[in-house]
Amino acid sequence: MIPVVSFVGDSNTGKTSLVEKIVAELSSRGYKVGTAKFTRCDFDPDTEGKDTFRHTAAGAYATALVAPRKTVLFIPSEPAPSLDEIVYQYFTLADIVIVEGGKEQECDKIWVKGDSPEPRGFDAEDMIAVAAPSEFEAGVPVFDRDDAKGISDFIQDRYLKNVSRSEVRVWIDGKFLPVKPFVKAFIGQTVKGMLSSLKGGKKGERIHIKIGR
């Protein structure tokens, strides 16, 4: 399954700066990193009156705004999608997804400690490490909050040692299906073998097949 690590903590504890450094460090090591930011603020990133807003209001289930250097996808959602749904829909090519916030989401978490003496708002059993501004005792590894390299080493050792560029990942109705190595090899070889007989199918490295709506 694509590993997901969320950096959680109170406001103004430096989560965004730390996430920024972690993403830069892991990306520099050659990993494909996706990110997600969870917020409790109720806002609309689109603007009323804009063409994309009008498309959505007309009933489009998804609207893309495509520019030379960045593409934005607007998707109406009520309630907000879960982290699992987001990863399944948009991050299937990522080696890892780094999240800022999302205390209520089911994933491993690194607590970015501020003034609070203990974690708040999430299950402590999900906590795999702590990033603290000073020495702190915990039952998990504790890093200096500015030690982006050390935290990145920890994440790499825990999740990214066996990253495969030809990984076979299977989801059924949005739920990740664990597949044993033998089955992965069988699926990959079978699909590649069938597609190799089609024009343009011989040299495919990344293959996506979707069955169903």
Side-chain angles (χ1 to χ4, degrees):
M1 188 173 183
I2 299 170
V4 178
V5 179
S6 180
F7 288 76
V8 298
D10 295 336
S11 299
N12 302 316
T13 54
K15 295 190 299 296
T16 300
S17 296
L18 181 55
V19 166
E20 181 182 17
K21 294 174 183 176
I22 297 296
V23 171
E25 181 68 31
L26 292 176
S27 297
S28 71
R29 301 181 187 188
Y31 296 108
K32 184 173 287 189
V33 183
T35 67
K37 161 75 177 183
F38 279 81
T39 178
R40 296 184 182 277
C41 299
D42 186 8
F43 79 107
D44 191 337
D46 205 358
T47 304
E48 187 171 358
K50 293 293 186 180
D51 295 345
T52 48
F53 190 96
R54 293 169 62 185
H55 293 179
T56 302
Y61 87 92
T63 300
L65 175 61
V66 184
R69 290 182 295 175
K70 185 172 288 188
T71 298
V72 179
L73 186 63
F74 299 108
I75 302 177
S77 58
E78 182 62 41
S82 68
L83 182 55
D84 283 345
E85 291 171 327
I86 292 170
V87 173
Y88 164 67
Q89 288 287 349
Y90 311 113
F91 291 104
T92 54
L93 297 182
D95 295 320
I96 189 168
V97 177
I98 300 296
V99 181
E100 180 182 344
K103 289 181 180 180
E104 71 284 356
Q105 301 298 317
E106 295 183 4
C107 65
D108 290 344
K109 298 176 176 69
I110 294 179
W111 178 35
V112 184
K113 184 182 180 302
D115 296 331
S116 177
E118 59 185 23
R120 297 188 300 183
F122 69 95
D123 191 339
E125 292 184 358
D126 293 339
M127 187 171 67
I128 59 170
V130 177
S134 58
E135 292 188 7
F136 181 75
E137 293 294 329
V140 294
V142 178
F143 298 89
D144 186 280
R145 203 163 58 190
D146 294 324
D147 186 13
K149 183 180 183 303
I151 298 173
S152 296
D153 290 340
F154 170 74
I155 291 174
Q156 181 175 345
D157 289 342
R158 186 180 178 103
Y159 300 103
L160 299 171
K161 278 187 173 181
N162 300 310
V163 169
S164 172
R165 298 304 174 190
S166 59
E167 181 71 16
V168 173
R169 297 162 178 168
V170 179
W171 283 263
I172 296 180
D173 294 334
K175 300 295 183 181
F176 178 77
L177 180 67
V179 180
K180 294 182 178 180
F182 169 77
V183 180
K184 287 183 179 182
F186 175 77
I187 293 173
Q189 292 170 5
T190 301
V191 170
K192 286 186 175 181
M194 291 187 297
L195 295 181
S196 66
S197 63
L198 303 176
K199 184 177 180 180
K202 290 184 178 181
K203 298 181 179 181
E205 292 297 327
R206 296 183 300 178
I207 300 170
H208 296 261
I209 298 176
K210 182 176 181 179
I211 301 174
R213 293 177 60 85

